Amino acid sequence: QVQLAESGGGLVQAGGSLRLSCAASGRTFSSYVMGWFRQAPGKERDLVARISASGGTRYYADSVKDRFTISRDNAKNTVYLQMNSLKPEDTAVYYCAAGVYSLRLGYEYEYWGQGTQVTVSS
């Protein structure tokens, strides 16, 4: 089992930067695909970025491409989301999640953190 805890959220002006961290418990962190999701009020939870277990493959939603960077440190059981050039539309609760991939089912995220609020003022 994996427990996840996000940190690093807060209030920032448009154009600013934040770095989110997600610390994981458990010895099997390095075997999981890790994702960052976000959910704005009244909207669905959307995938923002994803990183493979080894860190060699990354995916970004079009809305954050070239502004956000996902990374992981398997020795520290931590995944990061560096967010630059923030916009008011990036305001949301950000969640990290640990999952697996299968050809039959695609990506399945089994474990979720509690979320951290990011608010970008204009």
Side-chain angles (χ1 to χ4, degrees), residues 5-53:
E6 302 95 337
S7 61
L11 173 65
V12 64
Q13 288 188 331
S17 298
L18 282 175
R19 188 195 196 200
L20 304 184
S21 298
C22 174
S25 65
R27 301 179 188 177
T28 58
F29 172 78
S30 60
S31 65
Y32 286 96
V33 172
M34 296 299 298
W36 282 99
F37 292 76
R38 68 186 180 187
Q39 187 167 21
K43 295 189 177 181
E44 295 185 350
R45 188 175 299 188
D46 293 326
L47 176 66
V48 173
R50 180 179 63 227
I51 189 167
S52 62

Side-chain angles (χ1 to χ4, degrees), residues 4-9 18-24 34 36 71 77-83 94-96 113 115-116 118:
L4 304 173
E6 302 95 337
S7 61
L18 282 175
R19 188 195 196 200
L20 304 184
S21 298
C22 174
M34 296 299 298
W36 282 99
S71 61
N77 280 11
T78 304
V79 62
Y80 305 97
L81 186 68
Q82 177 67 44
M83 306 187 294
Y94 283 71
Y95 300 89
C96 67
T116 185
V118 171

